[in-house]
Amino acid sequence: MGGTKSTLLSPLTAALTQAGLIFQLFVDVVRNTFRKPFQFREFIEQAWFIASVTILPTALVAIPFGAVVSLQTGSLIKQLGAESFTGAASVLAVIQQGSPIVTALLIAGAAGSAVTADLGSRTIREEIDAMEVLGINPVQRLVVPRVLAMILVAVLLNGLVSVVGIAGGYFFNVILQGGTPGAYLSSFSALAQLPDLYIAEAKAAVFGVIAGVVAAYKGLHPNPGPKGVGEAVNQTVVITFLLLFFANLILTMVYLQVVPAKGA
């Protein structure tokens, strides 16, 4: 009986231990962010690398996403007889929920896996151990620039998804559904408000932090060998997705309680 109980609790214990270690790494990243010297060159290189692997997929995903949102909301609102609010509903859905989620998926799937593979390969080659022997803090030297680069790129990608999604929604609503361009554009202010953009950018920044810290932790603690690096990459994507959707739920609930809907 005791062995069965221990077997059931061991996965939970391992999960809680890993969560604590990830949070500890997050604290170390915050602490080392303000220590000198700041690795500005590494930060720029990582930001450029992350942007290069995420910009095109993000734009390609944003176009059909904005189209689907526009077509769905346009069809529903047309049934309700409120065609003048099609643009407002589409913009609200894209900016407040759509763009942060698309950004989270691309940051976790493309950038997070790349960071984990990079740090994991350094770890199994014992480069991280060599840095520590030389007195170089790997968190300050490698992790902090990557996390900050993910935050920057996530915020910028969120803006890109918003613009491309709204443009795609406008095209499909006006061209395919026969909507009025003026009514689509003029209805933006009916439901949407500036805090919606603020919460979207805040979500993107939080998603960048989560993806960067999880990717760095898995990259610094892989199982031995190339197989361990591959497993770490897979675990990074799964764990990051779960945390990002949970964080999106929490942030959305807090935002809707703090900021009342326009016209409420």
Side-chain angles (χ1 to χ4, degrees):
M1 185 67 179
T4 304
K5 184 177 180 181
S6 177
T7 304
L8 293 175
L9 291 179
S10 58
L12 178 61
T13 303
L16 292 176
T17 302
Q18 189 172 94
L21 294 174
I22 292 175
F23 182 76
Q24 182 181 4
L25 179 60
F26 167 73
V27 174
D28 290 340
V29 168
V30 175
R31 185 187 302 118
N32 286 277
T33 299
F34 303 99
R35 287 184 178 176
K36 297 182 180 181
F38 178 71
Q39 304 298 325
F40 187 75
R41 180 184 179 89
E42 184 78 10
F43 167 72
I44 296 298
E45 290 178 353
Q46 291 302 316
W48 175 254
F49 169 72
I50 294 172
S52 65
V53 299
T54 54
I55 286 180
L56 183 59
T58 301
L60 294 178
V61 170
I63 294 174
F65 187 86
V68 169
V69 171
S70 178
L71 293 174
Q72 284 292 107
T73 55
S75 177
L76 177 61
I77 290 178
K78 189 173 183 179
Q79 295 177 23
L80 298 175
E83 291 89 343
S84 59
F85 290 97
T86 301
S90 300
V91 170
L92 192 64
V94 169
I95 290 181
Q96 194 178 108
Q97 296 296 331
S99 56
I101 290 178
V102 172
T103 302
L105 296 178
L106 270 299
I107 285 291
S113 58
V115 168
T116 302
D118 178 35
L119 294 179
S121 62
R122 292 171 183 257
T123 302
I124 64 174
R125 292 198 304 264
E126 299 182 350
E127 292 183 17
I128 304 299
D129 295 335
M131 293 177 64
E132 293 177 345
V133 170
L134 293 174
I136 301 174
N137 187 348
V139 174
Q140 181 184 9
R141 179 65 179 81
L142 299 176
V143 177
V144 170
R146 284 163 172 76
V147 173
L148 295 181
M150 277 201 179
I151 296 173
L152 175 63
V153 175
V155 172
L156 297 178
L157 284 180
N158 183 74
L160 174 65
V161 175
S162 299
V163 173
V164 175
I166 292 173
Y170 171 84
F171 174 81
F172 281 91
N173 179 262
V174 173
I175 301 300
L176 298 182
Q177 293 183 316
T180 305
Y184 188 92
L185 297 175
S186 62
S187 65
F188 283 4
S189 59
L191 298 177
Q193 52 186 336
L194 202 55
D196 295 332
L197 180 60
Y198 297 157
I199 187 60
E201 295 291 355
K203 285 182 179 180
V206 172
F207 295 164
V209 173
I210 294 174
V213 173
V214 173
Y217 172 80
K218 283 298 181 180
L220 294 175
H221 302 89
N223 293 325
K227 181 181 178 182
V229 177
E231 293 174 349
V233 171
N234 294 334
Q235 292 171 5
T236 295
V237 175
V238 174
I239 294 174
T240 306
F241 278 1
L242 294 176
L243 292 178
L244 291 181
F245 283 113
F246 182 74
N248 180 64
L249 172 63
I250 298 298
L251 290 174
T252 301
M253 292 174 60
V254 172
Y255 173 74
L256 294 178
Q257 292 296 322
V258 173
V259 180
K262 193 170 185 180

